[in-house]
Amino acid sequence: MNRAAPVFRLLLSLLALVSPVAVGPVVAADVTTYTSAGIWLEALSGTPTVEGFDGWDDETILTTQITGLSFSSPNAELEGYFPIQTDAYEPAASFPNVLTGGGVPGPGETLQTIVIEFSPAITALAFQLGAYHPEATPLSVFFEFTDESTALASVTNDTEDETANVFFGAIADTPIFRVTITSGTESGGYEEFVLDDLAWLTEEDGDDVTLPVCTATPVDLEGGLFIAGSATDAGEGDSGIATVVLAPGSTNLDLVVDPEFEAGAPTAPFSVFIIDSDMDASGSVVATDGAELSCTIPVDFRTLPAGPLSDEVLCSGEGILLSVSNASVTDPGISACTATLPQPSDPSYPPGYEPSPGSDFTPCRILTIESPVEGFTDMVYKKDGTFDPRLRLLFSRLEGTSFPPFTDITTAVEPILTVVPDPTRMSGGVRWTPVKIACALLAETCNGVDDDLDGAVDEGLPVGEPPVDNDEDGYPLCAAAGATADCNDQITTINPDAAETCNGMDDNCDTTIDEGDPGSGADCAVAGELGACAVGETSCVDGALTCTQTVQPSAEVCDGRDNDCDGRTDEVYVFSGYLPPVNADGSSIFRRRRAIPLKFRLNDCQGAMASNAIATLQVFFYRSGIVGVEIEEVSSVATSNTGNRF
């Protein structure tokens, strides 16, 4: 991206892959590079520190403000140097800011260069490269190690989109103390770049680098509803659980840790109770191990009124919220919800679906709910983070003593445009008993293409196996040769012959969403508007039908409509003329010093006399240019300006 050229910004940012990265031949350290955030995170021996530059004001010059980092550039002494700083950029990997600078904008031979020094030294590094032109020469990443050896890697944007965010990750077996990132060139000048979501792992993170695991589920016994859970830190080199506490801000909750638990034990059982059952209770349980690594479980107790329910919130916390609507007539009661990260014991995902990637800082959580709600229930699951149209709503209902595999019940996917960055809202409806609800990415379809850009093709799908049509719509997910395949074998209404509907999903499997403005052109009522102004027409906007007003307010006339949109119809009055002694058309002339008995009539739109209207009269003198045609002889000498005399 050349800063001198216009910058085209998109609302959505895409995770792209870099081309294979080459490490220079003269190196002493062993460096492994990665093109997938998820694979890089899985390969780490600990939890990285991540700086998204979003907590800083726009155009903040960065030097040593971030603990452990120091930013500089060899170009700092050049005329016209653009300092290393934060910059608001809509296609940022994490909105709103990125890191930019380190160069001299405009034509010239100086390359943009950002030098990052680490103290203490690090063993792993990653970042999202943005605003890098696909035709530019590779960006270079030069590593300097504490044993005085070096390594060089290159990164390119292999997409066709300059706004794409390209992931680069590296893990070294020797501590890294300095990294120099230098731009390539494009069209004869240097290609400007931005960085986002800079992540690193220091060499001093200790032997215990594995997060503890928190699990919990609602339990309904005769004594009442509570949440039973445990925190575990029992892997090789783990330090054990040190503490289990309620997070600050938790309300109306009582946490009871197993009285036999001692700090350092591999497992800490606990229970959570509602204190006052007449009030809602919410908060989080936080378990911390000896290395100060933590896991968190949001918990909710909600006092539900008697059904029907409308948009009743049951679960919240850690960037997620679930609300339900249910038309059934049910007794009031209490619901309990836990929100945990996916565990091996949870229901399996459908083929082609996967959990949130490790780079997602508000990952999808599995919600386990015990409640008095039963019967068909509509759900809305909201998840923080940049809108992702691949997110889907999954559901599993208890059968006997276990939960079957998740099924996709999504009916719509849409961004929440009132929040930045736009979170994703999924909705669906099913019949309820004790349930588990989750969101996940629809990652792969059986098409021989790397749909989720993770370097693998059609992973997790039954490629080459006998066709199975799970949703029984006549189209299997992986069809036999010559047959038509489904792009979603979980939802019956999605298949190659389906009609496109306005729901933020690809209903007809043509890789486009809501094409043709489905559902548009229908008459609709505009919310909040009255009379004629309530007339609207539908259009498909961001996965939802929107009613757009087509009639604007106008002067009220006698036509049986509320033309001026004030909630009243035909509230105008018709002037029906003057009454004697004034001519009906007002053409009378009166001599001075005469009191004039002025009478007139107003009728409503139905022709009836208006008895409670308020009229405004204007009186003009002859000398003002108002000329009558007939002098009226009246002898009244009554006091003027009383009653109907003027």
Side-chain angles (χ1 to χ4, degrees), residues 37 126 147 267 387 399 404 424 478 489 501 606:
D147 65 357
T267 302
F387 170 67
E399 294 182 359
T424 308
C478 294
D489 205 29
T501 59
Q606 286 71 42

Side-chain angles (χ1 to χ4, degrees), residues 342 349 354-365 383 391 439-441:
Y349 294 114
E354 63 185 18
S356 301
S359 58
D360 190 344
F361 299 115
T362 55
C364 288
R365 287 179 172 260
K383 174 191 164 316
L391 279 169
C439 63
L441 292 173

